[in-house]
Structure formats: structure tokens, C-alpha cells
Amino acid sequence: MGDSKHVVIVGGGFGGISVAKKLKRSNVDITIIDKSNHHLFQPLLYQVATAALSPGDIAVPIRAILGERKGLKVLLGNVTEVNKKKQFVALENGQKVNFDYLVLAPGAQYNYFGNDGWKKHAPGLKSVGDALQIRERLLLSLEKAEQLEDPKLREPYLTFVVIGGGPTGVEMAGAIGEIAKRNMMRDYNTFSKNETRIFLVEAAPKILNGYPDSLSEQARETLEEMGVRVLTNTPVTGISESKVSFSEGAIDTPNIIWAAGVAASPLLSSLETKQDRTGRVFVEDDLSIPGNDNVFVIGDAAHKKDKSGNPLPALAPVAIQQGKFLGNLIQNELKDKERTSFNFVDKGTMATIGRAKAVADIRGFKFSGFFAWILWSVVHIFFLIGFRNRFKVFVEWMWHYFTFKRGVRLITDRFSENEDPGN
Ligand SMILES: Cc1cc2nc3c(=O)[nH]c(=O)nc-3n(C[C@H](O)[C@H](O)[C@H](O)COP(=O)(O)OP(=O)(O)OC[C@H]3O[C@@H](n4cnc5c(N)ncnc54)[C@H](O)[C@@H]3O)c2cc1C
């Protein structure tokens, strides 16, 4: 690297990639470090888990996104420590990388609220490995049910429980509802779609907490029409290999998916700065951490308040806008321009519930159904990285829309029964 300032970015997700893209044409050296070699479009991960898309449709190598440029380096590695004083980050393999500016965008991970033993039986949906593990479990369970002649014995294998009624849980439950009540059922002879049971379990009084009540209610009604039983006010008290327990009762099934709480990356604790209840770092108006104006935290890892004093939600548009803002800030600083404050522009929220069904709240304009789904589809195609992926996903969706068929129903024996695919 030359005399230019060195910007180190940890995380090649929505936030990290946005910073790198913004800085690509400026006179800085850039090193982007990620523990995986790809950028992942997490909003469509549930479609990999439910056999609608392949991993390659939603994941792109970070090198391919950023391309070639002098002074730009992509490193595969797990960052384990930040030393603010000596201005370096340390990787798991012992390597140290010095920085002038540091941008931390390591995202979040699932939080089992102190019950880490649950993870093995109820995988969360965060990485390609997670999605493939869930896909394999769902498909194997249907195969197991096909082998069992006794309806009582096959009942657990035809039961699916999704824990957490946020957007991911709603999308997952809706997609399983489509599989288990409709489009794959004609491929099986032993059981009928009436035997399948899907539960969406939520501890709070409503699903899609944070959305307007009318849209939460609409989402619930749509899920129920699709055959999903929505259990609200139902905190989970235990999870084992074959059972989910509540204070009143239990459901027998090996098909349990965790889409409940999240916690920010453990790496952030090495910053030794104030963090909130979920581990997010409190940042200043320019997204730097208090006392260190060359260390920034963005995306799901940052606690930044909006104009009303509420923390910004953990959503892709927040991470993307913060990434672009920081890219500009660093460029401006090199030209001796003053720093400005980050302000999030909220363009609305959406969640899909299944084929041709979604809810949307666009700047106070609330709507649901087919039009919301079209908008959801257009936005998601637009934000996917790369023409090839946009084209492939569009074609897959058209195929799925007209044929009701899910193309990627492969059981590849990738995960043995108790193996954890990791994050
Ligand atoms: C299943 C699912 C569905 C979602 N659906 C939506 C949706 O519909 N709409 C929406 O707006 N948002 C959605 N989100 C949220 C959205 O994906 C996040 O808000 C967004 O990804 C945050 O961006 P980020 O850059 O902060 O982190 P991420 O995109 O998570 O990227 C973090 C990156 O950092 C890397 N990393 C982490 N720790 C380390 C380390 N120690 N060393 C090196 N690299 C590290 C990771 O490998 C990863 O590549 C969804 C999230 C999930 C999990």
C-alpha cells in the first residue's frame, strides 16, 4: 500500500459493500475483510431454505462485486479484535491489519436468550449454510413421512414450527405453508396436505411488531387462510430434538426454525465502548464511536437514533444508506471538508407472506395483497447485486408463479444429523 490513507472495512454485507463501492474511485487504499467470501442478500435467504432459489442466486463473491483496482484488497478472515489505540484489527489467524479509518459492519447473529443449546435443534436463518441445513431438514422430513404408513407416527414429520413472528418468521411460515399445503404435495402418495401442520409462534401479542396494527392483522389473516396457525402471546420455554415446549403444552416435531431475537456481533465488545441490550454500539451523529473519530460502526451493529429518539431498525436500507454516507464522509474529509450528520430516509417497509401476497407501509400508505407483492418483488430484484442474479431470480419467480413448482428440492447429504453448519 502507498502513502494514501488506509480504510479497513470489516464485513462485506450491505453496509460494508456500500462503503467500499463509494470509496472505489477515491484516493484511498481499501481492505475489506469478511469471514465468508461472498456478499449475501439475506432478505431472500428464506427462499433458499424453502427450495425456491439456489444459493448462487442470492450470494455473489465480494471480489466479483468490487473488481480490480490498485490499493484494493479483499481478505477472507475472521476479525477477532480491534485495537483502537494502536489502530489495527487482529484476525483469527494471527494476522494484524493497520488502519487510518476503520469501518465495522459485522452485522448481527441470532440470539437464543441464554439457551444456546436450542440452536442445534432450531437453526436460525443467517447464512447460506443455515438455509441449506433448513432446506435439507424440511425435505428429509417429508421423505420420512412418506415412509410411514401410520398417520400418528408420521404426524411430527408433517409438523413445522417457526419461532418468531417478525418479517423473517412470517415469510418462512408463508413459504412452508405453500410447500406443505400446496405445491409439493402432489409428489407424495402416502399422506395428504390436510395432515400437514404449520405453526408460527410469537411471544408478543401480535406478529410483525413494529408494523401498523392493520397490516399485522392482515398478515395474520392471510397466513391463517394459507393454513398456518398463528400462536401469539406464546413464549417458548424449551426446545429439544423433537419438541417445542410452552408454559401450556408442547408440539412434537423435529422441524423447528428459529427466527426470534438477534444480537449484534461479539466482535463489538473489543471496542470497549457503550453497547445497548442487544450488543449494538451507540454511535455519534457521524456514525463514529465516542472518543474515536476514525472508528465507525454501521448497519445492524450500530445503535443510531432517528429524529424521534428511537433506534433505527436492523434493515438493509439503513445499512446501505449508512455505508454511502460514510464513503462520502471519508472522501470529504480528505478534501478538508467538515463532517455532517447521518439522517436515515425511510422509504417504507414490506413483508411477503407467499405467492402473490404481501403487506406494505410506504410513507404511511398501507396496503396488502397482489399489488404489495408486485412492489415487493420489483424492489427485491432491483436491490440484488448483478444482472445475472436479477435475471435468474426473475425467471425462477415467473416459473414458480405459473407452475407452483419449487426447483431446488435437492437433498445432498451435506449435513449429517447433528452437524452444525456454522455461521
Ligand atoms: C433471514 C433474513 C431476512 C431479512 N429480510 C430483510 C428484508 O426483507 N428487508 C430488509 O431491509 N432487511 C432484511 N433483513 C435484515 C438485513 O439483511 C440486515 O439489516 C442487513 O444485512 C444489515 O447489513 P450489515 O451490513 O449491517 O450486516 P450484514 O449484511 O449481515 O453483513 C455482515 C457481514 O460481516 C461479516 N462478518 C461478521 N462478523 C465478522 C467478523 N468477525 N470478521 C469478518 N467478517 C465478519 C459477515 O460474514 C457478513 O458478510 C433480513 C435479515 C435476515 C437474516
Side-chain angles (χ1 to χ4, degrees):
M1 307 264 167
D3 296 331
S4 315
K5 294 279 184 199
H6 186 202
V7 182
V8 172
I9 303 166
V10 178
F14 285 103
I17 287 288
S18 300
V19 185
K21 280 167 96 178
K22 208 66 217 160
L23 286 175
K24 228 187 124 184
R25 283 194 184 78
S26 41
N27 183 25
V28 287
D29 291 332
I30 306 168
T31 301
I32 181 160
I33 311 170
D34 200 299
K35 59 185 176 183
S36 69
N37 79 333
H38 53 266
H39 167 82
L40 179 62
F41 194 84
Q42 292 171 15
L44 291 180
L45 209 43
Y46 81 97
Q47 296 214 352
V48 175
T50 53
L53 293 176
S54 298
D57 298 338
I58 63 161
V60 188
I62 294 170
R63 286 180 202 286
I65 298 172
L66 296 177
E68 276 180 53
R69 177 239 205 225
K70 202 167 160 264
L72 169 69
K73 196 167 179 180
V74 180
L75 272 186
L76 177 70
N78 186 16
V79 178
T80 50
E81 189 202 331
V82 177
N83 192 320
K84 298 180 290 186
K85 218 161 153 212
K86 296 189 178 154
Q87 299 200 174
F88 69 80
V89 295
L91 277 65
E92 203 171 35
N93 64 4
Q95 189 178 355
K96 287 179 181 164
V97 182
N98 294 313
F99 62 81
D100 296 304
Y101 290 99
L102 174 66
V103 180
L104 291 174
Q109 57 186 28
Y110 276 105
N111 178 7
Y112 288 78
F113 306 114
N115 301 294
D116 288 343
W118 293 359
K119 188 175 176 189
K120 193 161 122 191
H121 311 301
L125 188 57
K126 195 69 195 158
S127 63
V128 169
D130 294 336
L132 292 177
Q133 188 193 30
I134 291 172
R135 182 180 86 183
E136 185 150 310
R137 281 192 184 193
L138 297 183
L139 295 174
L140 277 174
S141 207
L142 293 173
E143 294 300 331
K144 185 84 188 162
E146 181 79 343
Q147 291 162 0
L148 295 165
E149 295 293 336
D150 180 347
K152 212 64 221 139
L153 287 182
R154 66 177 177 246
E155 188 180 76
Y157 297 103
L158 294 174
T159 302
F160 305 87
V161 176
V162 179
I163 301 166
T168 302
V170 166
E171 285 166 359
M172 210 46 220
I176 297 174
E178 276 184 357
I179 292 174
K181 292 285 180 196
R182 194 166 191 170
N183 50 25
M184 269 161 54
M185 285 305 107
R186 55 190 106 129
D187 296 350
Y188 299 91
N189 289 320
T190 315
F191 54 87
S192 84
K193 63 180 185 185
N194 300 331
E195 288 180 57
T196 58
R197 303 183 305 158
I198 306 117
F199 296 90
L200 177 63
V201 180
E202 168 58 50
K206 68 172 201 174
I207 58 167
L208 292 184
N209 227 338
Y211 284 60
D213 286 349
S214 59
L215 290 184
S216 299
E217 199 39 49
Q218 184 66 51
R220 182 188 184 117
E221 277 170 25
T222 308
L223 282 170
E224 285 174 350
E225 277 163 21
M226 293 167 73
V228 176
R229 296 186 215 175
V230 180
L231 310 179
T232 45
N233 292 310
T234 310
V236 169
T237 53
I239 296 176
S240 69
E241 198 180 340
S242 56
K243 193 189 286 263
V244 186
S245 310
F246 316 102
S247 49
E248 285 165 28
I251 299 172
D252 290 321
T253 177
N255 300 313
I256 312 162
I257 296 158
W258 186 261
V262 287
S265 163
L267 169 66
L268 301 168
S269 54
S270 78
L271 283 175
E272 292 172 345
T273 184
K274 212 171 150 206
Q275 293 171 263
D276 70 10
R277 200 168 46 83
T278 61
R280 289 183 299 177
V281 165
F282 287 98
V283 291
E284 306 281 11
D285 285 345
D286 61 2
L287 309 179
S288 65
I289 62 169
N292 287 82
D293 64 3
N294 63 338
V295 177
F296 303 89
V297 182
I298 58 172
D300 285 5
H303 181 126
K304 169 82 181 74
K305 294 201 179 345
D306 65 15
K307 284 176 192 149
S308 340
N310 300 313
L312 289 172
L315 289 173
V318 175
I320 293 169
Q321 287 183 32
Q322 290 183 334
K324 288 181 179 166
F325 167 85
L326 262 195
N328 283 330
L329 181 145
I330 294 171
Q331 279 175 348
N332 285 338
E333 192 142 287
L334 297 176
K335 294 177 198 151
D336 290 329
K337 287 193 189 160
E338 291 253 316
R339 286 190 180 188
T340 52
S341 300
F342 173 76
N343 283 311
F344 176 58
V345 182
D346 186 359
K347 294 178 183 155
T349 39
M350 288 181 272
T352 180
I353 308 163
R355 182 181 171 276
K357 301 177 186 80
V359 291
D361 179 6
I362 309 296
R363 300 186 174 205
F365 178 48
K366 304 172 190 61
F367 52 104
S368 57
F370 184 70
F371 182 57
W373 179 74
I374 290 286
L375 189 66
W376 177 91
S377 306
V378 170
V379 167
H380 280 73
I381 295 253
F382 179 77
F383 277 104
L384 268 170
I385 288 187
F387 175 76
R388 178 185 160 275
N389 286 43
R390 287 186 193 132
F391 180 72
K392 275 196 75 196
V393 170
F394 176 73
V395 171
E396 287 287 352
W397 283 356
M398 283 295 113
W399 174 254
H400 176 216
Y401 183 80
F402 288 111
T403 64
F404 291 91
K405 287 200 168 127
R406 285 173 184 259
V408 206
R409 289 182 278 159
L410 306 177
I411 299 172
T412 55
D413 261 348
R414 204 183 129 93
F415 306 113
S416 65
E417 261 188 15
N418 294 317
E419 195 184 337
D420 181 350
N423 286 312

